[in-house]
Amino acid sequence: MKNRIMFLLSILLGVILLISTTAATGLAPRFQTDNPNPPDTVVKIIFIHHSTGENWLTDGYGNLGKTLDQNNYFVSDTNYGWGPNSIGDRTDIPDWMEWFRSADTPDYMTALFTEYGQHSSYTRTLIDPGGENEIIMFKSCFPNSALEGSPTDPPDPSPGLTVGHAKYVYNHILEYFRAHPEKLFVVITAPPLSDGTYAANARAFNNWLVYHWLYENNYTQSNVAVFDFYNVLTYSTYHHRFFNGDVQHLFGNINTLYYPSGDDHPSIAGSRKATADFVPLLNVYYRRWKAGAVNIAIKSNRVLDGWVLESAETSNAGGSLNSTASTFRLGDDAQNRQYRAILSFNTSILPDDAVILSVMLKIRRSTLVGTEPFNTHGVLRVDFKLGAYNGSSALEAADFQAVATQPGVTTFNKIHVMQWHNAMLKSANYNLINLTGLTQVRLRFSTDDNNDSGADYRLFCSGDSAYKPVWWITYYDP
């Protein structure tokens, strides 16, 4: 195990280096500018739903309608029997193709954008400001959490309530959203079931919507947002909200309904929890959209990234390395030496005055050797470097122990989404993104080895592969 004193000294040196580097380059810290406060003027919103959504909106139950009203939203909704061809009857996941990608879509959208009626019982005190609905919320009901197939199934055009077809549907309706940047489309995930038969599939699909859907489609606009209603209802400590200055998505391995009401309709308590999480988050999404925020993918540099293996078990110094393989290694080898990885990103492609709103680092898992280090080696940490480790952008053995600008800034979730592990950067650390040059990160498990004299490491796709590590960043240019 490594010397704790050396680690603490590296943190102190990193803080000093961060201050000096920032002063030398003239970079201004880029703190979170997300605003969870209500819109400044009345905004028209419409919600497509059935019974669960009706309960959620209703005064005395979920109180969503009243709470949105208090946040300057003029709320309307659809329900059973609504609209041309009674399209309101059909809100299962496959039905969104009819709503947003069919020959009847123009008629449905004209009716939806100009619908100002109430089809549920909720307080509406605001005066209609005129014009069309700006925000379109839509949700499928809980039977849509019975998705067949497997959690990692790819998009599949074959009809059916499956993981693969659900992904296919959402990928295709995204094209309508892309063509209408003047509207904000908010996906509300389907609530969970009490039956756990397909619960793992539902969790995987909804995590895909939150973490991977927009990236997979290279969707650069900010007019599409996801609220994980499903996740909020699966456990008391699971959330999707704006909390302490950041968007927070807390989830785990509990995938069934935690808030039953005698059947699979969420209870009053669950619905009100969802309201408390959702409304400030909606405010954040709305303000991002109005600010003209965009998403950008910045992929790692294949020439500069790779892995470094420790020279000896307790040396805390680099030995051998590899910068050309299509994978990098994290864990330990048969001599209990730790593997670390260096990833390099040209973050100077961001505007010099970019206001960063969200930063997610994504790495794709590959094969496993020995035991799973996510289970035996602690958490997978990210050390940040403004510029290059050890003063050189090329991979070097000394990068293993080189001082980071700030070590252990964030960690990866051990639960993967379509083979991708994701790490979210907190807003207080956005100043670690170098807007004028290179940003390097070092990846390492918090426990250097498990002392079993066996090779135990996970391989991940490097910049030399088709699945490069990537920053998925949301920002706007003021």
Side-chain angles (χ1 to χ4, degrees):
M1 299 296 176
K2 303 298 180 289
N3 190 309
R4 184 176 296 274
I5 295 176
M6 290 180 66
F7 178 70
L8 293 174
L9 284 174
S10 72
I11 294 176
L12 178 59
L13 288 171
V15 172
I16 294 171
L17 186 59
L18 173 59
I19 295 170
S20 62
T21 303
T22 301
T25 60
L27 291 175
R30 302 292 172 175
F31 291 112
Q32 173 79 315
T33 60
D34 271 330
N35 186 344
N37 295 324
D40 299 325
T41 58
V42 178
V43 175
K44 298 183 77 167
I45 185 171
I46 190 162
F47 185 17
I48 305 168
H49 65 84
H50 279 170
S51 55
T52 295
E54 182 174 355
N55 289 343
W56 192 20
L57 283 169
T58 297
D59 290 356
Y61 203 94
N63 292 331
L64 176 62
K66 178 170 62 176
T67 306
L68 288 170
D69 184 86
Q70 293 166 349
N71 278 260
N72 234 8
Y73 295 100
F74 182 85
V75 184
S76 305
D77 66 311
T78 75
N79 211 322
Y80 292 100
W82 177 88
N85 303 323
S86 296
I87 184 62
D89 286 343
R90 300 182 292 282
T91 63
D92 287 339
I93 290 173
D95 296 326
W96 300 129
M97 290 289 282
E98 182 183 359
W99 280 83
F100 299 113
R101 289 300 302 273
S102 74
D104 293 319
T105 294
D107 291 339
Y108 296 152
M109 293 301 105
T110 296
L112 188 69
F113 296 160
T114 57
E115 172 61 69
Y116 313 131
Q118 292 181 257
H119 297 82
S120 304
S121 179
Y122 52 90
T123 297
R124 189 162 69 177
T125 65
L126 298 173
I127 298 173
D128 186 340
E132 294 184 346
N133 293 309
E134 286 191 79
I135 303 176
I136 313 302
M137 290 171 52
F138 61 101
K139 183 189 71 62
S140 297
C141 210
F142 51 77
N144 289 266
S145 287
L147 293 171
E148 297 184 11
S150 299
T152 58
D153 283 348
D156 183 356
S158 303
L161 200 60
T162 65
V163 171
H165 191 61
K167 291 176 181 176
Y168 175 85
V169 168
Y170 274 88
N171 284 347
H172 277 68
I173 65 176
L174 201 56
E175 294 310 305
Y176 181 83
F177 306 157
R178 195 189 304 269
H180 291 276
E182 77 282 2
K183 304 293 184 185
L184 173 60
F185 298 91
V186 182
V187 176
I188 310 296
T189 61
L193 292 164
S194 300
D195 184 345
T197 303
Y198 299 106
N201 285 354
R203 170 66 70 189
F205 172 68
N206 292 317
N207 279 350
W208 175 81
L209 281 174
V210 172
Y211 290 99
H212 203 63
W213 175 42
L214 298 182
Y215 168 70
E216 184 175 292
N217 287 275
N218 192 30
Y219 196 84
T220 60
Q221 300 167 193
S222 58
N223 72 319
V224 176
V226 178
F227 174 63
D228 200 354
F229 190 55
Y230 166 92
N231 179 60
V232 171
L233 296 170
T234 51
Y235 198 62
S236 59
T237 58
Y238 293 177
H239 290 280
H240 194 192
R241 61 185 178 178
F242 188 77
F243 183 74
N244 283 347
D246 292 287
V247 174
Q248 182 187 67
H249 186 254
L250 296 177
F251 70 97
N253 290 311
I254 302 173
N255 302 324
T256 53
L257 181 63
Y258 184 79
Y259 297 94
S261 60
D263 57 24
D264 283 326
H265 288 86
S267 68
I268 290 175
S271 299
R272 291 183 181 178
K273 178 191 174 192
T275 297
D277 274 15
F278 173 63
V279 175
L281 189 58
L282 175 64
N283 294 340
V284 166
Y285 290 150
Y286 175 79
R287 289 182 177 275
R288 286 186 182 184
W289 171 54
K290 283 299 184 180
V294 295
N295 305 312
I296 187 173
I298 303 177
K299 297 185 179 182
S300 70
N301 186 312
R302 58 180 294 272
V303 176
L304 304 178
D305 71 6
W307 56 259
V308 182
L309 177 63
E310 193 176 16
S311 60
E313 180 182 4
T314 60
S315 69
N316 195 37
S320 58
L321 57 82
N322 188 307
S323 63
T324 60
S326 61
T327 57
F328 59 86
R329 303 173 181 182
L330 294 172
D332 68 71
D333 75 348
Q335 297 177 49
N336 296 329
R337 297 177 297 183
Q338 186 180 32
Y339 286 106
R340 296 183 177 184
I342 301 292
L343 304 178
S344 299
F345 301 88
N346 179 20
T347 46
S348 67
I349 66 175
L350 291 164
D352 288 348
D353 58 350
V355 180
I356 297 175
L357 300 170
S358 176
V359 178
M360 177 166 57
L361 179 57
K362 302 173 69 66
I363 57 173
R364 196 177 197 273
R365 64 199 267 140
S366 183
T367 54
L368 175 68
V369 174
T371 61
E372 174 59 74
F374 276 107
N375 296 331
T376 58
H377 288 58
V379 295
L380 180 52
R381 288 179 171 162
V382 183
D383 301 333
F384 263 81
K385 181 67 176 180
L386 271 169
Y389 278 100
N390 204 41
S392 172
S393 59
L395 186 69
E396 298 178 328
D399 292 344
F400 184 96
Q401 72 271 14
V403 175
T405 304
Q406 193 163 333
V409 173
T410 186
T411 60
F412 284 90
N413 198 308
K414 67 183 293 184
I415 299 175
H416 67 88
V417 179
M418 288 296 291
Q419 307 301 326
W420 291 84
H421 291 272
N422 303 289
M424 300 299 301
L425 190 62
K426 288 186 178 295
S427 58
N429 298 123
Y430 290 166
N431 57 343
L432 296 172
I433 302 295
N434 188 356
L435 299 180
T436 60
L438 191 70
T439 301
Q440 286 193 326
V441 295
R442 181 171 56 208
L443 309 186
R444 59 184 172 86
F445 278 100
S446 56
T447 300
D448 57 337
D449 66 81
N450 60 349
N451 287 313
D452 68 349
S453 297
D456 304 298
Y457 58 86
R458 166 71 67 178
L459 288 88
F460 296 87
C461 297
S462 75
D464 292 274
S465 76
Y467 300 104
K468 302 177 186 294
V470 62
W471 286 116
W472 183 244
I473 297 176
T474 302
Y475 75 94
Y476 71 89
D477 195 356

